[in-house]
Amino acid sequence: MEFNVRRLAADAGTFLSRAVQFTEEKFGQAERTELDAHLETLLSRAESTKHWTEKIMKQTEVLLQPNPNVRMEDFLYEILDKKVPMRANNHELLGECMIDSGHEFGPGTAYGSALIKCGETEKLLGSAEKEFIQSSAINFLTPFRNFIEGDFKTISKERKLLQNKRLDLDAAKNRLKKARVADARSAAETELRIAQSEFDRQAEITRLLLEGIGSTHAHHLRCLSDFVDAQAVYYAQCYQYMVNLQKQLGSFPSTFSNNNQTAGSSSSSIWVPPAQPAASLPAPPPSQTSPALNELRSTSGTRKARVLYDYDAASSSELSLLSDEVITVSSVPDMDSDWLMGQRGNQKGKVPITYLELLN
């Protein structure tokens, strides 16, 4: 009991001494020991690492789960140490809706069958998204979170101890300055040597921990590489799913009409029945040759044109087209009347006029 009382009294005395030293430093009434430049640099790098690790974590969480309510719900499950319930994501919900509507319209109809195929692809996209989120959480977010909740907490604890040891050291220096009696001065010198030794020891411990930040950066670099790999796999899967869906939808018959166009519409149309083989494209009948086309051929200017149908280039001199995209076209002297010169960015090549609708 007596030992505990003495221990408490000593702790209270140490705390009071540190408080007095800290207050006097704030008011400029006491000198303070500055840390060496290398240690200050390490401390600054550690703080910067913590700051940016937290920001990257936060933005990654927003990327993986844009809904703040769902993020909060997941956070509460994590605090309660409970398993997060399985939820359908937006792709899966859209997929279910499309599949149900497709069955309602009839899987034997073109529209119903297309809806079902789109719905199945949306569900595949949803599954790929879940795999990407899970992989990113394990290989990217978890190591970052472990640093914040583990390594950096240890660094903060040792840094606080270093601060206390520095206060003890500076308080011992001040007591030595104020000592006048020989015995008091001798005791103060002994106390200063002990305080200096403890401060140096704690500074070395803190320095070793801070130098480990370099290893943390190397580890986080590997995690970043894993995250990029996961993104690459995810987007490649999504691209392949959509390409396959495009091919499936391309097998359905399409009906094109200009019901929404009037005589006073803002676009001039060059329209013929659906495409024939590129080698034998028919020239537009005179009734379908628009004034806009005649104007384009009579000048050396360019016009914008909307692509009506997909077109695969038959040679390197031609330009492949995607339905509904807008390209720039021009007339080239001595070019066959069935063709125009098309340009998309840096790509250039012949395009059949039967696939185009000139725009004003």
Side-chain angles (χ1 to χ4, degrees):
M1 180 67 178
E2 182 179 352
F3 173 77
N4 290 338
V5 171
R6 289 179 179 176
R7 179 67 179 274
L8 289 173
D11 290 343
T14 301
F15 176 80
L16 180 60
S17 175
R18 290 171 180 168
V20 170
Q21 177 65 27
F22 181 80
T23 303
E24 290 180 349
E25 288 177 359
K26 287 296 182 182
F27 285 98
Q29 298 174 353
E31 297 180 2
R32 58 170 293 166
T33 300
E34 298 296 338
L35 301 177
D36 66 77
H38 178 59
L39 190 56
E40 288 286 6
T41 301
L42 291 175
L43 286 169
S44 176
R45 185 172 68 156
E47 284 295 336
S48 179
T49 301
K50 171 184 178 290
H51 169 75
W52 288 110
T53 299
E54 288 178 331
K55 291 201 72 171
I56 292 171
M57 280 176 53
K58 182 178 179 181
Q59 291 304 315
T60 304
E61 288 169 351
V62 172
L63 171 70
L64 299 179
Q65 178 48 262
N67 190 328
N69 294 328
V70 175
R71 291 202 305 273
M72 178 58 68
E73 185 178 336
D74 290 347
F75 177 70
L76 293 175
Y77 276 109
E78 184 179 343
I79 291 177
L80 298 174
D81 198 22
K82 290 188 176 181
K83 186 177 180 181
V84 178
M86 294 296 294
R87 309 185 191 91
N89 56 31
N90 291 331
H91 283 294
E92 291 173 326
L93 291 173
L94 175 59
E96 289 291 347
C97 181
M98 286 182 167
I99 291 173
D100 290 344
S101 62
H103 285 296
E104 177 72 20
F105 293 128
T109 65
Y111 183 42
S113 178
L115 280 169
I116 292 173
K117 291 182 182 298
C118 288
E120 291 171 346
T121 300
E122 289 295 335
K123 293 182 74 173
L124 289 174
L125 293 174
S127 177
E129 182 183 89
K130 285 183 173 179
E131 291 177 4
F132 166 61
I133 291 174
Q134 183 180 19
S135 173
S136 300
I138 294 173
N139 298 322
F140 188 62
L141 286 179
T142 298
F144 275 46
R145 187 175 292 111
N146 288 342
F147 166 73
I148 296 297
E149 297 177 355
D151 294 351
F152 193 80
K153 280 190 174 180
T154 302
I155 290 174
S156 298
K157 177 184 175 183
E158 297 301 330
R159 182 179 182 178
K160 186 176 180 180
L161 283 175
L162 179 62
Q163 171 72 355
N164 289 336
K165 296 301 181 183
R166 186 199 60 78
L167 289 171
D168 292 342
L169 175 61
D170 289 335
K173 289 179 179 179
N174 287 332
R175 282 193 290 272
L176 179 59
K177 287 182 180 179
K178 296 175 182 178
R180 295 292 181 264
V181 182
D183 291 343
R185 190 169 184 81
S186 176
E189 288 175 348
T190 301
E191 182 182 355
L192 177 58
R193 284 195 298 272
I194 295 173
Q196 183 70 60
S197 175
E198 291 182 350
F199 171 77
D200 291 342
R201 178 177 175 275
Q202 186 59 41
E204 181 64 16
I205 292 173
T206 306
R207 182 185 63 80
L208 290 174
L209 285 172
L210 292 171
E211 287 177 345
I213 292 293
S215 298
T216 298
H217 285 185
H219 179 50
H220 286 182
L221 174 58
R222 291 192 294 272
C223 297
L224 182 61
S225 179
D226 290 341
F227 180 58
V228 171
D229 290 344
Q231 282 184 306
V233 170
Y234 168 59
Y235 290 122
Q237 283 181 318
C238 293
Y239 173 76
Q240 191 59 53
Y241 290 149
M242 298 313 296
V243 168
N244 293 340
L245 178 60
Q246 279 184 319
K247 292 179 180 177
Q248 294 178 51
L249 294 183
S251 65
F252 290 102
S254 300
T255 301
F256 297 92
S257 66
N258 291 337
N259 294 337
N260 293 332
Q261 287 187 276
T262 63
S265 66
S266 62
S267 63
S268 302
S269 174
I270 306 173
W271 187 90
V272 296
Q276 299 179 16
S280 59
L281 287 172
S287 61
Q288 293 177 337
T289 303
S290 69
L293 179 58
N294 291 332
E295 180 184 349
L296 179 63
R297 283 177 171 161
S298 64
T299 65
S300 58
T302 61
R303 293 285 293 272
K304 295 292 185 182
R306 179 178 291 108
V307 178
L308 298 175
Y309 326 109
D310 291 351
Y311 175 72
D312 293 326
S315 69
S316 59
S317 65
E318 299 178 9
L319 181 66
S320 294
L321 303 174
L322 292 175
S323 176
D324 289 332
E325 74 171 331
V326 176
I327 63 172
T328 302
V329 294
S330 60
S331 179
V332 177
D334 301 324
M335 180 177 285
D336 190 286
S337 61
D338 293 338
W339 300 83
L340 292 172
M341 182 60 66
Q343 184 169 358
R344 182 202 305 111
N346 295 326
Q347 297 177 311
K348 201 170 184 180
K350 295 193 305 180
V351 293
I353 62 174
T354 53
Y355 283 67
L356 303 174
E357 175 188 27
L358 291 182
L359 304 176
N360 285 338

